[in-house]
Amino acid sequence: MTRRADAVRARYIDLISVLGPELLRYFERRSPDTAEDLVSEVLIVGWRRRARIPDVDEHARMWFYGVARNVLRSQMRSRARQYRVLDALRGVSRPSTADDASEHVALRDAVERLPPDLREVIELAHWEELSLVEIGQLLHIPASTVRGRYQRARERLAQGLGSSSPSPSPSIRPGAAGQMDADAPTLAAPDLSPGRALP
C-alpha cells in the first residue's frame, strides 16, 4: 500500500469517527427503523469513493451529507413502490401514523405539510444545524435561494400553527463538525410559539 493510499485510508477513518454519529442522527430522524443500515450504506459508498472525498474537512462533511441524502432518497423511492404494491393488493389506502409526543404533533404535522423543497431546508437547518451557506452547498443552490425558501417555510409554519407571523429568535448554531464562515449569514429559528422546537 502506498503512502498516498495509507493517508487516504487514515483520513477516511478520522472523518467517519466524527461524522458517523451525525449521520446516524440524520437517519434516525427520518427513518428510525433502518437508520443503522442506512449509515452503513453511506460508509460503504464513502469507502469505495474515498479517493474522491474533498480535502477540506467541511467540504468532506457536505460530501457525506450528499451521499446520505441520495441513500435516503433511494430508500424512499423503494418504500413508495412497496407501499403502492401492498395498497393495491389490499385494496385500501395506507393509514397515516401519529407521533407519540403530543406536544410535537402540531409542529411535526405542519412541517410534513410543507412542499418538499421548503421542508428539506427546515429539516437541514433545525435538525442538522446546518448554516444557510452549508445548505446551499449541499443542495447545489445559491444561499439567497435557501434564504427565500426558509422564509417561505417559516411563514407557512406560522400560518399552520395559528401565529400571525414568525418571530426572530437566536441564530442556529453551526454543525458540530465545522465552523460557519464569519461572513456567512445565519438562519433564525422560527419561534412560532413559546417552547416549540422541531421534534
Side-chain angles (χ1 to χ4, degrees), residues 24-92:
L24 182 59
R25 289 192 295 271
Y26 175 88
F27 287 123
E28 284 178 339
R29 290 163 177 147
R30 293 162 172 83
S31 182
D33 55 328
T34 59
E36 293 184 0
D37 291 337
L38 294 174
V39 170
S40 296
E41 190 170 344
V42 171
L43 297 185
I44 290 171
V45 172
W47 174 254
R48 289 173 177 169
R49 302 179 184 175
R50 59 191 180 278
R52 306 180 192 176
I53 298 175
D55 293 332
V56 179
D57 284 352
E58 190 56 27
H59 294 172
R61 180 172 179 251
M62 292 296 98
W63 186 88
F64 270 100
Y65 267 108
V67 173
R69 187 166 171 255
N70 289 336
V71 166
L72 185 63
R73 279 182 169 179
S74 177
Q75 186 212 49
M76 291 173 66
R77 286 194 297 266
S78 177
R79 281 190 170 183
R81 288 192 296 268
Q82 292 173 6
Y83 284 137
R84 284 196 296 269
V85 171
L86 290 173
D87 290 347
L89 292 173
R90 294 186 186 120
V92 296

Side-chain angles (χ1 to χ4, degrees), residues 156-168:
R156 291 197 181 203
L157 289 174
Q159 293 170 0
L161 294 170
S163 174
S164 58
S165 62
S167 310

Side-chain angles (χ1 to χ4, degrees), residues 11-30:
R11 183 161 184 271
Y12 170 83
I13 293 173
D14 289 342
L15 284 170
I16 64 172
S17 68
V18 174
L19 295 176
E22 278 192 47
L23 293 170
L24 182 59
R25 289 192 295 271
Y26 175 88
F27 287 123
E28 284 178 339
R29 290 163 177 147
R30 293 162 172 83

Side-chain angles (χ1 to χ4, degrees), residues 115-136:
D117 58 337
L118 304 187
R119 182 173 66 246
E120 185 167 37
V121 168
I122 288 292
E123 290 175 347
L124 290 172
H126 289 272
W127 283 354
E128 312 312 328
E129 295 188 344
L130 299 185
S131 72
L132 179 153
V133 172
E134 290 170 334
I135 294 172

Side-chain angles (χ1 to χ4, degrees), residues 103-147:
E103 68 272 19
H104 293 315
V105 170
L107 183 56
R108 185 182 290 276
D109 287 348
V111 171
E112 288 298 321
R113 288 194 299 269
L114 291 172
D117 58 337
L118 304 187
R119 182 173 66 246
E120 185 167 37
V121 168
I122 288 292
E123 290 175 347
L124 290 172
H126 289 272
W127 283 354
E128 312 312 328
E129 295 188 344
L130 299 185
S131 72
L132 179 153
V133 172
E134 290 170 334
I135 294 172
Q137 291 171 348
L138 178 60
L139 302 182
H140 304 290
I141 58 177
S144 58
T145 301
V146 178
R147 181 182 295 279

Side-chain angles (χ1 to χ4, degrees), residues 164-183:
S164 58
S165 62
S167 310
S169 66
S171 297
I172 293 173
R173 300 185 304 277
Q179 293 293 325
M180 193 183 308
D181 292 340
D183 296 330

